[in-house]
Structure formats: structure tokens, C-alpha cells
């Protein structure tokens, strides 16, 4: 099961990376269009869709690597059962909040599909298509939080960046 979940998180982050390359392509196409006097409609909108998709699809992988922003001042001060209880509580709250967000992201995507909601920009893209990546990323985040929660309940070490390991955010 661990390998399947890790493969799922890795696949999502690779898709997020492809989307980031798509953002680059859209920006370069827009720049080239201005310099060479041609216009490709929707490049700004597609860059935005791809950026949002990349952000959401990377959430689960980032959580599992311990690189989400966390306020660890209190948790680092605790040891043993109190620390584990606080971690389980905070993961429970995070899972509930992420589950609510995932539910409404799925609902929004579904309603956009049902009502044929389209973008108001010149591309007129059906909005459910870019919203799929948001919903999928939110669901994957819930899965990753549940994964972390199970690890914490079992008393295993959960993913977190240590003080000795600087985050790769330079």
C-alpha cells in the first residue's frame, strides 16, 4: 500500500511539473506573440489554469515530504504521548478541513459541467476541465492527510522537515 500511495503522490507531482512547463510555454508564446505581432487567444487564461492545477496537484507530495508550512513551536516542545496526541488532533482537524474543501471542489466541478459554465475570457473554455485538477489535488491532499493520520495513530514518525534539514525553497 505504501508503494501505491507514494506512486500516486509522485505521479501527481510529475503532472504538476508538466503543468508548470505548460505555464512556461504559455508565457513564452504570449511574449513571442507580442514581439512577432501575432496573437494566440487564451494564453493568459491557460497559464492561470495550469498554474492552479500545478499548485493543487503538488499538495499531497509536498505534505508527504514534510515541506508544508507548519507551526511546530508547540509540537517540538512536547515529547511522547502529548506530542503524539497533538499531532493526531492537528491532523484530524486538517483532514476534516481538507475533506470539506475537496467536497466543495468536486461539487463546483460537477456543477460547472452540469450548467455548461465557460470561462469569460476569450478562450471560452468549459470551466470543469481546469477545475478537475483542483478537485483531484484536493482529494489527493485528503488521502495524504489520512495517510499521515494513520501513521500518527500507529505511533510512527510522520513526515516533517527537521531542523537539521533545510527546506529546499531557495
Amino acid at each position: 500500500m505504501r508503494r501505491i500511495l507514494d506512486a500516486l503522490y509522485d505521479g501527481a507531482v510529475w503532472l504538476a511539473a508538466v503543468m508548470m512547463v505548460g505555464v512556461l510555454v504559455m508565457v513564452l508564446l504570449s511574449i513571442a506573440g507580442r514581439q512577432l505581432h501575432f496573437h494566440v487567444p487564451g494564453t493568459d487564461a491557460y497559464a492561470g489554469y495550469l498554474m492552479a492545477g500545478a499548485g493543487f496537484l503538488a499538495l499531497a507530495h509536498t505534505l508527504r515530504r514534510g515541506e508544508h508550512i507548519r507551526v511546530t513551536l508547540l509540537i517540538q516542545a512536547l515529547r511522547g504521548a502529548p506530542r503524539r496526541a497533538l499531532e493526531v488532533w492537528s491532523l484530524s482537524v486538517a483532514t476534516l478541513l481538507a475533506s470539506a474543501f475537496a467536497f466543495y471542489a468536486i461539487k463546483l466541478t460537477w456543477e460547472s459541467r452540469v450548467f455548461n459554465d465557460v470561462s469569460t475570457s476569450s478562450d471560452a473554455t468549459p470551466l470543469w476541465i481546469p477545475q478537475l485538477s483542483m478537485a483531484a489535488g484536493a482529494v489527493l491532499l485528503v488521502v495524504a492527510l489520512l495517510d499521515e493520520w494513520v501513521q500518527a495513530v500507529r505511533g510512527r514518525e510522520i513526515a516533517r522537515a527537521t531542523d537539521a534539514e533545510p527546506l529546499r525553497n531557495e
Side-chain angles (χ1 to χ4, degrees), residues 35-51:
Q35 296 299 317
L36 301 173
H37 307 292
F38 68 89
H39 177 67
V40 179
T43 53
D44 293 340
Y46 287 116
Y49 301 150
L50 291 166
M51 179 66 78

Side-chain angles (χ1 to χ4, degrees), residues 7 12 52 56 60 71 81 86 92 106 108 113 122-123 129-131 139 142 155-157 165:
F56 278 99
V71 180
L86 183 58
S92 298
I106 292 168
L108 174 68
R113 174 71 176 105
S122 63
D123 63 314
I129 296 171
Q131 289 170 351
V139 169
V142 171
R156 296 186 180 149
E157 187 68 23
E165 178 188 350

Side-chain angles (χ1 to χ4, degrees), residues 45-46 49 108-133:
Y46 287 116
Y49 301 150
L108 174 68
T109 304
W110 179 257
E111 288 177 352
S112 291
R113 174 71 176 105
V114 168
F115 296 125
N116 295 317
D117 198 9
V118 295
S119 169
T120 57
S121 65
S122 63
D123 63 314
T125 300
L127 286 177
W128 67 269
I129 296 171
Q131 289 170 351
L132 276 175
S133 60

Side-chain angles (χ1 to χ4, degrees), residues 131-147:
Q131 289 170 351
L132 276 175
S133 60
M134 176 184 69
V139 169
L140 280 173
L141 179 61
V142 171
V143 170
L145 283 164
L146 284 171
D147 186 7

Side-chain angles (χ1 to χ4, degrees), residues 52-119:
F56 278 99
L57 287 172
L59 286 173
H61 186 267
T62 305
L63 175 76
R64 286 296 299 154
R65 295 202 27 124
E67 294 184 357
H68 270 238
I69 297 172
R70 297 182 186 191
V71 180
T72 57
L73 185 62
L74 184 57
I75 288 178
Q76 286 178 345
L78 298 174
R79 298 283 177 249
R83 180 180 183 144
R84 186 167 152 222
L86 183 58
E87 285 178 339
V88 168
W89 178 82
S90 53
L91 285 168
S92 298
V93 171
T95 302
L96 287 172
L97 290 172
S99 295
F101 180 77
F103 173 80
Y104 286 107
I106 292 168
K107 184 178 177 186
L108 174 68
T109 304
W110 179 257
E111 288 177 352
S112 291
R113 174 71 176 105
V114 168
F115 296 125
N116 295 317
D117 198 9
V118 295
S119 169

